[in-house]
Amino acid sequence: PAREVAEQKLLQLASELDPLEQKIHAIQEEMSQLEQKIIAEARAVFCTLTSLYAGNAGRSLEGQSFDAVIVDEISMALPPLIFLAAGRATRRVILVGDFLQLPPIVRGDTPVGDARLGKDTFHLAGVARDLKPNPDHCHIMPRLEAQRRMRTEIADVARHLLYLPAGLDLHDDAKRPQGKSPDWLEFLPANPLVMVDTADLHCWSGKQPGSLSRFNFDSATVAVEIAALAAAKLQKPTGDSAPPIGIVTPFTAQRRLLTKLITDLDLKDWVVAGTVHTFQGAEADLIIFDSVLDEPYWAARLCNPRDTSDVKRDLNVAVTRAKNKFVFVGSSEWLNKHAKPVSGLGQMWQFFKDRADLISALELVKLERFHRVFDQYVHETGWSVPCGQTGYTFEHLDETSFFERFAKDLNAASDSIFGLAPYFGEYRWPRIQPLIGEALRRRVRVTLVTPPLAEAENRSYVDKVIQNLRDMGAVVVSASGVHGKDVIIDEQIIYTGSMNWSSNRGRSEEVHRI
């Protein structure tokens, strides 16, 4: 239509909308007044600390006061928000929490902010000092010394890490049943503490670009498949009941990967994945702890003696979410090398070596289940190999389209993979390594040609890559001056071009698939 006609139509619509918008505003105002009336007359109001001042809830609670204010999980609460909530009380403030669980999360970059906001209220008030109760403090309150969530063996981990060193009793309530686990957990060892060893998988960790957050595809596969084995024995949960299975990980990058696998495999009604921080206050019959840690990295916050106190608080929360079974997923080989007893993870690992039942990941999760997950992994864009054509096919790929094509072909390989790899990069290789490992487990022959270590810029990393490949059964040949980036799959598909398939990230290079 002509511009004048369209403008006239818009004016007409605006005149029709105006009274409707006024009516909506009046209804919203009436709803707000009703909400405030309901709150004022309620015997109890439940809300988050944030809702006291933010969003629609904040507006409804504005100006409200209460005889008593009870704040739960105060170890994680930012002290200013506790102060704000306390200001709404006219007679009494009751603070509830555990100073041996997580402190507040602070996303700041100033030392003052970290020092004041990152310290929990127990320590700021002097109720606790260095993760121990301060007996001289006048505001010590009655302690809840009996736990009735966990089986004794699981509670023993928490006692060993923190409660006994702090001089605190954490005995089991007599009403907590200590019989065998539910029938749907019988595929796991009877011991409530289980160590699933990924050493035979020769896993490879990667780092999320631009951060220190790590991911590990093989350990994620193991964790999700254990959850799937348990979920297969359960009816679909109904209503608002919490999922009976939780997967806890220390790293945000791994949480994203776990969540995607859970969704892709249609397990989200039974399983939830999250970091330690998202699980505080929750519980599940089965908790799977995906440690992620493996080659090529030897350092980690969990194994740093300087972070022992904070790490033990993290691990305390992870362990105490479990009611009947706690499954630790990790590499015994890596942990024996790097998780020393002076670190938080090292103390937990030493305890598990003495108390937990150890089972190989390959004994528990059969190879065909790895194939199932890897097939999902390379189908993430819905791409499939062109078929029904005569002669050869030719595709021109770039940085954004290469990986899905390449991953599909590696996953479909049935006989051989031959590649020239002049570089191995820590951001690309962690996505390729699990696919190479999966091919080797299918008995596909893998041969890679790479320059000698003396020619590598990141010599330490490349040395670990080569050792990992050889441990998995690949043939790695050194050849000076290698610059080609070709890969031949089953002697039928060749990738060739300027893009480094084993290291490329964020470069405007290309590759041809023939």
Side-chain angles (χ1 to χ4, degrees):
R3 179 186 179 91
E4 294 79 7
V5 174
E7 288 178 343
Q8 186 62 36
K9 183 67 173 175
L10 285 171
L11 287 172
Q12 178 185 342
L13 291 172
S15 65
E16 294 174 5
L17 285 172
D18 186 57
L20 294 175
E21 289 175 346
Q22 291 181 18
K23 188 174 182 179
I24 289 172
H25 180 74
I27 292 173
Q28 289 175 335
E29 184 65 28
E30 185 179 355
M31 287 175 61
S32 178
Q33 292 176 6
L34 283 171
E35 287 172 353
Q36 290 188 349
K37 183 175 185 293
I38 290 169
I39 291 170
E41 295 176 355
R43 296 187 63 188
V45 175
F46 297 84
C47 67
T48 64
L49 287 170
T50 305
S51 63
L52 279 175
Y53 67 91
N56 292 331
R59 285 190 290 273
S60 299
L61 290 167
E62 188 175 1
Q64 297 279 358
S65 61
F66 307 92
D67 293 332
V69 169
I70 304 171
V71 186
D72 194 15
E73 297 287 4
I74 66 165
S75 73
M76 276 190 73
L78 289 169
L81 298 191
I82 296 178
F83 186 81
L84 181 66
R88 299 296 186 92
T90 59
R91 297 179 59 190
R92 177 173 294 181
V93 178
I94 301 172
L95 307 181
V96 184
D98 183 349
F99 61 80
L100 298 179
Q101 294 193 12
L102 298 178
I105 301 172
V106 181
R107 303 188 184 278
D109 54 7
T110 63
V112 173
D114 290 345
R116 298 300 295 176
L117 297 179
K119 186 178 291 187
D120 64 75
T121 300
F122 288 107
H123 285 81
L124 279 178
V127 173
R129 187 182 299 155
D130 298 326
L131 297 185
K132 293 183 179 180
N134 181 359
D136 299 326
H137 200 278
C138 61
H139 292 295
I140 284 287
M141 296 183 180
R143 299 170 186 160
L144 299 176
E145 297 179 340
Q147 72 83 20
R148 55 176 65 96
R149 171 188 293 157
M150 301 158 276
R151 295 184 59 165
T152 297
E153 295 86 347
I154 298 172
D156 282 343
V157 183
R159 283 188 270 260
H160 170 75
L161 286 175
L162 282 169
Y163 292 94
L164 292 178
L168 295 173
D169 190 11
L170 182 67
H171 63 266
D172 299 326
D173 190 286
K175 296 179 181 178
R176 180 24 172 128
Q178 295 293 336
K180 69 173 187 175
S181 296
D183 292 344
W184 57 273
L185 290 173
E186 287 185 351
F187 71 96
L188 291 167
N191 191 337
L193 300 177
V194 179
M195 168 67 187
V196 177
D197 189 5
T198 59
D200 292 339
L201 292 173
H202 305 288
C203 300
W204 195 259
S205 290
K207 286 183 182 178
Q208 179 179 307
S211 79
L212 296 176
S213 190
R214 299 184 191 176
F215 63 92
N216 182 327
F217 190 84
D218 278 324
S219 73
T221 301
V222 171
V224 171
E225 283 297 348
I226 293 171
L229 289 169
K233 301 175 182 296
L234 286 171
Q235 295 290 328
K236 185 176 180 178
T238 57
D240 297 328
S241 59
I245 304 165
I247 305 179
V248 186
T249 181
F251 301 102
T252 302
Q254 188 77 347
R255 187 261 302 162
R256 294 192 188 100
L257 176 56
L258 289 164
T259 300
K260 184 183 187 315
L261 291 176
I262 289 167
T263 302
D264 289 348
L265 297 174
D266 199 23
L267 294 170
K268 58 183 182 296
D269 289 319
W270 293 267
V271 189
V272 62
T275 61
V276 175
H277 292 83
T278 60
F279 265 92
Q280 180 150 326
E283 64 181 23
D285 280 300
L286 169 62
I287 288 290
I288 303 165
F289 182 76
D290 182 359
S291 65
V292 179
L293 301 169
D294 213 314
E295 298 293 347
Y297 304 111
W298 60 268
R301 172 180 170 271
L302 295 178
C303 301
N304 190 334
R306 290 178 296 181
D307 295 321
T308 297
S309 294
D310 288 339
V311 168
K312 287 165 70 172
R313 293 171 84 171
D314 292 353
L315 296 175
N316 180 36
V317 171
V319 169
T320 55
R321 303 309 95 194
K323 295 164 64 177
N324 282 297
K325 193 79 72 176
F326 182 83
V327 176
F328 185 113
V329 177
S331 167
S332 61
E333 186 175 333
W334 192 95
L335 289 163
N336 283 331
K337 284 182 183 177
H338 306 298
K340 304 302 182 184
V342 292
S343 69
L345 184 62
Q347 292 180 29
M348 181 167 159
W349 171 233
Q350 294 301 319
F351 187 87
F352 263 70
K353 286 199 291 186
D354 292 336
R355 304 290 189 90
D357 281 7
L358 186 142
I359 183 171
S360 169
L362 288 177
E363 183 180 342
L364 189 61
V365 182
K366 305 305 180 185
L367 285 178
E368 58 267 20
R369 299 191 74 86
F370 277 91
H371 303 336
R372 176 176 85 128
V373 177
F374 273 88
D375 190 52
Q376 190 70 42
Y377 180 49
V378 299
H379 273 92
E380 59 187 32
T381 60
W383 178 84
S384 59
V385 178
C387 58
Q389 302 180 32
T390 58
Y392 66 85
T393 61
F394 180 92
E395 291 179 86
H396 179 201
L397 306 171
D398 60 17
E399 164 70 11
T400 59
S401 58
F402 160 75
F403 180 76
E404 283 71 26
R405 302 286 200 275
F406 190 57
K408 175 69 177 180
D409 286 335
L410 290 180
N411 199 49
S414 59
D415 180 64
S416 63
I417 298 169
F418 174 88
L420 302 179
Y423 307 102
F424 293 98
E426 64 175 314
Y427 292 118
R428 169 68 77 190
W429 184 247
R431 296 194 73 189
I432 302 294
Q433 190 271 357
L435 298 168
I436 296 291
E438 169 63 8
L440 287 163
R441 287 193 285 271
R442 298 196 307 273
R443 302 190 182 281
V444 174
R445 294 174 291 119
V446 176
T447 305
L448 299 181
V449 182
T450 189
L453 283 177
E455 297 179 16
E457 295 178 2
N458 53 342
R459 180 171 177 172
S460 176
Y461 188 85
V462 173
D463 187 23
K464 291 184 177 182
V465 169
I466 293 172
Q467 186 59 52
N468 177 257
L469 283 165
R470 288 173 173 163
D471 288 343
M472 292 191 296
V475 174
V476 183
V477 180
S478 294
S480 185
V482 171
H483 186 68
K485 294 95 178 174
D486 302 75
V487 179
I488 301 171
I489 301 173
D490 288 344
E491 298 185 8
Q492 295 183 26
I493 299 170
I494 181 169
Y495 284 85
T496 185
S498 61
M499 189 169 74
N500 288 299
W501 62 273
S502 57
S503 68
N504 186 72
R505 182 173 73 95
R507 289 174 174 260
S508 300
E509 294 175 331
E510 57 190 29
V511 66
H512 297 147
R513 177 186 182 276
I514 304 168

